[in-house]
Coordinates of all heavy atoms in Angstrom, one line a residue:
D1 N 136.0 10.6 101.1 CA 135.1 9.5 100.8 C 134.5 9.6 99.3 O 134.5 8.7 98.6 CB 134.0 9.3 101.8 CG 134.6 8.9 103.2 OD1 135.6 8.2 103.2 OD2 134.0 9.4 104.2
I2 N 134.1 10.8 99.0 CA 133.4 11.0 97.8 C 134.5 11.0 96.6 O 134.2 10.5 95.6 CB 132.7 12.4 97.7 CG1 131.8 12.5 99.0 CG2 131.9 12.5 96.5 CD1 130.7 11.5 99.1
E3 N 135.6 11.5 97.0 CA 136.7 11.5 95.9 C 137.1 10.0 95.6 O 137.4 9.7 94.4 CB 138.0 12.3 96.5 CG 137.8 13.7 96.6 CD 138.1 14.5 95.4 OE1 138.6 13.8 94.4 OE2 138.0 15.7 95.3
D4 N 137.2 9.1 96.7 CA 137.4 7.7 96.5 C 136.3 7.1 95.6 O 136.6 6.2 94.7 CB 137.6 7.0 97.7 CG 138.8 7.5 98.6 OD1 139.8 8.1 97.9 OD2 138.9 7.2 99.8
Y5 N 135.1 7.5 95.9 CA 134.0 7.0 95.1 C 134.1 7.4 93.6 O 133.9 6.5 92.7 CB 132.7 7.5 95.7 CG 131.5 7.2 94.8 CD1 130.8 6.0 94.9 CD2 131.0 8.2 93.9 CE1 129.7 5.8 94.1 CE2 129.9 8.0 93.2 CZ 129.3 6.7 93.2 OH 128.1 6.4 92.4
I6 N 134.6 8.6 93.3 CA 134.8 9.0 91.9 C 135.8 8.2 91.3 O 135.7 7.8 90.1 CB 135.2 10.5 92.0 CG1 134.0 11.4 92.5 CG2 135.5 11.0 90.5 CD1 134.2 12.8 92.6
Q7 N 137.0 7.9 92.0 CA 138.0 7.1 91.4 C 137.6 5.7 91.1 O 137.9 5.2 90.1 CB 139.2 7.2 92.4 CG 140.4 6.5 91.9 CD 140.9 7.2 90.6 OE1 141.1 8.4 90.6 NE2 141.3 6.4 89.6
V8 N 136.8 5.1 92.1 CA 136.2 3.8 91.8 C 135.5 3.8 90.5 O 135.5 2.9 89.7 CB 135.5 3.2 93.0 CG1 134.7 2.0 92.7 CG2 136.4 3.1 94.2
R9 N 134.5 4.7 90.4 CA 133.7 4.8 89.2 C 134.5 5.0 87.9 O 134.2 4.4 86.9 CB 132.7 6.0 89.3 CG 131.6 5.7 90.3 CD 130.9 4.4 90.1 NE 129.5 4.4 90.5 CZ 128.9 3.2 90.7 NH1 129.4 2.1 90.4 NH2 127.6 3.2 91.2
Q10 N 135.6 5.8 88.0 CA 136.4 6.0 86.8 C 137.1 4.7 86.5 O 137.3 4.4 85.3 CB 137.5 7.1 87.2 CG 136.8 8.5 87.1 CD 137.9 9.6 87.5 OE1 138.9 9.3 88.1 NE2 137.5 10.8 87.2
D11 N 137.6 4.0 87.5 CA 138.3 2.6 87.2 C 137.3 1.6 86.7 O 137.7 0.8 85.9 CB 138.9 2.1 88.6 CG 140.0 3.0 89.1 OD1 140.6 3.8 88.3 OD2 140.2 2.9 90.3
E12 N 136.0 1.7 86.9 CA 135.1 0.9 86.3 C 134.7 1.2 84.9 O 134.0 0.5 84.2 CB 133.7 1.0 87.1 CG 133.9 0.3 88.5 CD 132.6 0.4 89.3 OE1 131.7 1.1 88.9 OE2 132.6 -0.1 90.4
G13 N 135.3 2.3 84.4 CA 135.0 2.7 83.0 C 133.8 3.6 82.7 O 133.5 3.8 81.6
L14 N 133.3 4.2 83.7 CA 132.1 5.1 83.5 C 132.6 6.4 82.9 O 133.7 6.9 83.2 CB 131.4 5.3 84.8 CG 130.3 4.4 85.2 CD1 130.8 3.0 85.5 CD2 129.5 4.9 86.4
M15 N 131.7 6.9 82.1 CA 132.0 8.2 81.5 C 131.9 9.3 82.5 O 131.2 9.2 83.5 CB 131.0 8.5 80.4 CG 130.9 7.5 79.2 SD 132.5 7.6 78.3 CE 132.3 9.2 77.5
P16 N 132.8 10.4 82.3 CA 132.7 11.5 83.3 C 131.3 12.1 83.4 O 131.0 12.5 84.5 CB 133.7 12.5 82.7 CG 134.6 11.7 81.8 CD 133.8 10.5 81.3
S17 N 130.6 12.2 82.4 CA 129.2 12.7 82.4 C 128.3 11.9 83.3 O 127.5 12.4 84.1 CB 128.6 12.9 81.1 OG 128.6 11.6 80.4
T18 N 128.5 10.6 83.2 CA 127.7 9.7 84.0 C 128.0 9.8 85.5 O 127.2 9.8 86.4 CB 127.9 8.3 83.6 OG1 127.6 8.1 82.2 CG2 127.0 7.2 84.4
I19 N 129.4 9.9 85.8 CA 129.7 10.1 87.2 C 129.2 11.4 87.7 O 128.8 11.5 88.9 CB 131.3 10.1 87.3 CG1 131.8 8.7 86.8 CG2 131.8 10.3 88.7 CD1 133.3 8.6 86.7
D20 N 129.3 12.5 86.9 CA 128.8 13.8 87.3 C 127.3 13.7 87.6 O 126.8 14.3 88.6 CB 129.0 14.8 86.2 CG 128.8 16.2 86.6 OD1 129.4 16.6 87.6 OD2 128.0 16.9 86.1
R21 N 126.5 13.0 86.9 CA 125.1 12.9 87.3 C 124.9 12.1 88.6 O 123.9 12.4 89.3 CB 124.3 12.2 86.1 CG 124.2 13.1 84.9 CD 123.1 12.4 83.9 NE 123.7 11.2 83.3 CZ 124.4 11.3 82.1 NH1 124.6 12.4 81.5 NH2 124.8 10.1 81.6
E22 N 125.7 11.1 88.8 CA 125.6 10.4 90.0 C 125.9 11.3 91.2 O 125.3 11.3 92.3 CB 126.5 9.2 90.1 CG 126.1 8.1 89.1 CD 127.0 6.8 89.2 OE1 128.1 7.0 89.9 OE2 126.7 5.8 88.6
L23 N 127.0 12.2 91.0 CA 127.3 13.1 92.1 C 126.2 14.2 92.3 O 126.0 14.6 93.4 CB 128.6 13.8 91.7 CG 129.8 13.0 91.6 CD1 131.0 13.9 91.2 CD2 130.2 12.4 93.0
D24 N 125.4 14.5 91.3 CA 124.3 15.3 91.5 C 123.3 14.7 92.4 O 122.6 15.3 93.2 CB 123.7 15.7 90.1 CG 124.5 16.7 89.3 OD1 125.3 17.4 89.9 OD2 124.3 16.6 88.0
S25 N 123.0 13.4 92.2 CA 122.1 12.7 93.0 C 122.6 12.6 94.5 O 121.7 12.8 95.4 CB 121.9 11.2 92.4 OG 121.4 11.2 91.1
I26 N 123.8 12.3 94.8 CA 124.4 12.3 96.0 C 124.3 13.7 96.7 O 123.9 13.8 97.9 CB 125.8 11.8 96.0 CG1 125.9 10.3 95.5 CG2 126.4 11.9 97.4 CD1 127.3 9.8 95.3
S27 N 124.6 14.7 95.9 CA 124.5 16.1 96.4 C 123.0 16.4 96.8 O 122.9 17.2 97.8 CB 125.0 17.1 95.4 OG 124.9 18.4 95.9
A28 N 122.1 15.9 96.1 CA 120.7 16.2 96.4 C 120.3 15.6 97.8 O 119.6 16.3 98.6 CB 119.8 15.6 95.4
V29 N 120.8 14.4 98.1 CA 120.6 13.8 99.4 C 121.2 14.7 100.5 O 120.6 14.9 101.6 CB 121.1 12.4 99.5 CG1 120.9 11.8 100.8 CG2 120.4 11.6 98.4
F30 N 122.4 15.1 100.3 CA 123.1 16.0 101.2 C 122.4 17.3 101.5 O 122.1 17.7 102.6 CB 124.5 16.3 100.7 CG 125.6 15.4 101.2 CD1 125.8 14.2 100.5 CD2 126.4 15.7 102.2 CE1 126.9 13.3 100.9 CE2 127.4 14.8 102.6 CZ 127.6 13.6 102.0
S31 N 121.9 17.9 100.4 CA 121.2 19.2 100.6 C 119.9 19.1 101.4 O 119.6 19.9 102.2 CB 120.9 19.8 99.2 OG 122.1 20.0 98.5
V32 N 119.1 18.1 101.0 CA 117.8 17.8 101.7 C 118.1 17.5 103.1 O 117.4 18.0 104.1 CB 117.0 16.7 101.0 CG1 115.8 16.4 101.8 CG2 116.6 17.2 99.7
A33 N 119.1 16.6 103.4 CA 119.3 16.2 104.8 C 119.8 17.3 105.7 O 119.4 17.4 106.9 CB 120.4 15.1 104.8
I34 N 120.6 18.3 105.1 CA 121.1 19.4 105.9 C 120.1 20.5 106.1 O 119.8 21.0 107.1 CB 122.4 19.9 105.3 CG1 123.5 18.8 105.3 CG2 122.9 21.1 106.0 CD1 124.8 19.2 104.6
N35 N 119.5 20.8 104.9 CA 118.6 22.1 104.9 C 117.1 21.8 105.3 O 116.5 22.7 105.7 CB 118.7 22.7 103.5 CG 120.1 23.1 103.0 OD1 120.9 23.5 103.9 ND2 120.4 22.9 101.8
V36 N 116.7 20.6 105.0 CA 115.3 20.3 105.3 C 115.1 19.4 106.6 O 114.3 19.7 107.4 CB 114.7 19.6 104.1 CG1 113.2 19.3 104.3 CG2 114.8 20.5 102.9
W37 N 115.8 18.3 106.6 CA 115.7 17.4 107.7 C 116.4 17.8 109.0 O 116.2 17.2 110.0 CB 116.1 16.0 107.3 CG 115.2 15.5 106.2 CD1 113.9 15.9 105.9 CD2 115.5 14.5 105.3 NE1 113.4 15.1 104.8 CE2 114.5 14.3 104.4 CE3 116.7 13.7 105.0 CZ2 114.4 13.4 103.3 CZ3 116.6 12.7 104.0 CH2 115.5 12.6 103.1
G38 N 117.3 18.8 108.9 CA 118.0 19.3 110.1 C 119.2 18.4 110.5 O 119.5 18.5 111.8
Y39 N 119.8 17.7 109.7 CA 121.0 16.9 110.0 C 122.3 17.8 109.8 O 122.8 17.9 108.7 CB 121.1 15.6 109.3 CG 120.1 14.6 109.7 CD1 118.9 14.4 109.0 CD2 120.2 13.8 110.8 CE1 117.8 13.5 109.3 CE2 119.2 12.8 111.2 CZ 118.1 12.8 110.5 OH 117.1 11.9 110.9
A40 N 122.7 18.4 110.9 CA 123.8 19.4 110.8 C 125.1 18.7 110.6 O 125.4 17.7 111.4 CB 123.8 20.4 111.9
V41 N 126.0 19.2 109.8 CA 127.4 18.7 109.8 C 128.3 19.9 109.8 O 127.9 21.1 109.6 CB 127.6 18.0 108.5 CG1 126.9 16.7 108.4 CG2 127.3 18.8 107.3

């Protein structure tokens, strides 16, 4: 799902650095949800 999201962003013409910052934000939600809020995957 995340790989497809990256491809969509690339097709929209976003710079790789911009996409990487968006992935950092998504990763932050994953980390807090798993490590702090206890949503195990």
Side-chain angles (χ1 to χ4, degrees):
D1 294 326
I2 312 298
E3 292 272 357
D4 293 341
Y5 170 81
I6 295 174
Q7 186 61 49
V8 170
R9 287 307 202 195
Q10 289 176 342
D11 295 340
E12 292 176 355
L14 270 68
M15 297 294 292
S17 57
T18 303
I19 300 174
D20 192 56
R21 285 192 292 269
E22 291 185 353
L23 294 176
D24 287 338
S25 301
I26 296 174
S27 180
V29 179
F30 268 82
S31 298
V32 173
I34 296 172
N35 302 326
V36 180
W37 296 336
Y39 289 96
V41 292

